[in-house]
Amino acid sequence: LSDPENFRYSPGVTELAEEMGWWSPQDDEPGVFDFMRSYGYTPEPSATEPPERAELDKSVVAFYSGRRMWRIFNLLSPAEGAKLDPDKGNLPETVNPYPSSVPAPHGSVTPRMLMDVLRDHYEGTPYDLTVGMAAGPFGNPNRGPVAPRGVKGIWERAISMHRTSWSQVVEASPHGRGIFWLGYDSPHGTAYLPFFAAAGEPAPESFCSHEGYMAKFSHKVAWWAFNLVNQYTDIN
């Protein structure tokens, strides 16, 4: 909180945490607020849940977003990402949890790199979803909603998921020069299209049409074209 040049926060962020009993000024050094420890989620075991199941649930949550954080830091800032343990997980109670951000050399992160991050399935790491028997003969990284019967835990949660509806990369620039890159459906099968903040005309009709939506097919709605491509890639 004492470093406004590098950190931004909403007014009242500490007051709400204090009001809810999640944080007090004595928990941190002056000028420091641990957002993760205050607002992060840890599953609460039920009275009827076996201890081993409660521990499994906690492990699932620890890596549900933690593995994604580790991967993003590694892709965009390899030197800093290499300092992080991919098997640590990330919970409010984790000792020395992952940082909220890591530094990268000025100008080293490009829009294309961010698009590649959004398309990632941990390729080339021990958690690569494009290899192994579950990936089949064509290296399909997509998995079902649950792990096979009898297997504890769940599949790795890739950054690019088959159930993604859309993703975006935003280039914020002054004087109306910003660019909004939109990719419909799953990132790994999409093409990111630029929409310009200073454009003198609206987006194409297929991106504005209400003739259809995700539960109603329409040739006039662009999302369905992107979804069809992604569906074909899953056909063996």
Side-chain angles (χ1 to χ4, degrees):
L1 303 183
S2 58
D3 185 9
E5 288 298 316
N6 294 296
F7 294 92
R8 294 288 187 267
Y9 55 92
S10 300
V13 66
T14 59
E15 287 82 353
L16 176 60
E18 192 169 7
E19 177 185 332
M20 298 299 295
W22 300 332
W23 177 83
S24 71
Q26 290 73 39
D27 292 339
D28 292 313
E29 298 177 5
V32 174
F33 174 66
D34 191 331
F35 187 90
M36 174 68 170
R37 190 174 64 195
S38 302
Y39 289 102
Y41 170 71
T42 300
E44 294 289 341
S46 66
T48 59
E49 189 176 38
E52 60 272 16
R53 179 65 199 185
E55 192 60 31
L56 177 61
D57 289 344
K58 185 181 291 188
S59 295
V60 167
V61 173
F63 291 102
Y64 195 72
S65 61
R67 191 86 79 197
R68 281 177 154 190
M69 292 178 66
W70 165 81
R71 180 60 167 164
I72 291 169
F73 291 154
N74 268 264
L75 290 171
L76 298 182
S77 185
E80 295 297 323
K83 302 175 184 178
L84 305 177
D85 181 1
D87 296 321
K88 188 174 189 177
N90 204 56
L91 288 173
E93 63 190 45
T94 303
V95 178
N96 296 323
Y98 294 150
S100 58
S101 62
V102 296
H106 180 71
S108 65
V109 178
T110 66
R112 177 58 185 268
M113 291 173 64
L114 295 177
M115 296 171 197
D116 289 342
V117 165
L118 293 173
R119 294 182 170 118
D120 190 76
H121 303 100
Y122 304 119
E123 284 88 346
T125 75
Y127 321 104
D128 192 341
L129 288 165
T130 66
V131 299
M133 293 185 65
F138 305 112
N140 191 333
N142 298 328
R143 302 288 186 271
V146 296
R149 188 183 300 251
V151 176
K152 294 182 178 180
I154 61 174
W155 297 111
E156 289 285 351
R157 182 172 178 246
I159 297 174
S160 182
M161 297 289 289
H162 64 278
R163 59 178 179 267
T164 304
S165 300
W166 57 275
S167 56
Q168 66 183 39
V169 172
V170 178
E171 293 185 69
S173 298
H175 312 301
R177 292 178 297 175
I179 304 176
F180 174 83
W181 296 87
L182 174 66
Y184 273 146
D185 210 70
S186 300
H188 54 261
T190 197
Y192 285 95
L193 304 178
F195 293 84
F196 299 92
E201 298 180 3
E205 180 61 28
S206 61
F207 286 84
C208 306
S209 173
H210 290 192
E211 291 285 334
Y213 39 88
M214 292 180 193
K216 180 185 176 183
F217 178 80
S218 173
H219 288 289
K220 298 180 180 180
V221 176
W223 183 85
W224 278 103
F226 290 82
N227 177 260
L228 186 62
V229 170
N230 269 315
Q231 288 192 56
Y232 273 133
T233 64
D234 274 335
I235 298 176
N236 291 329

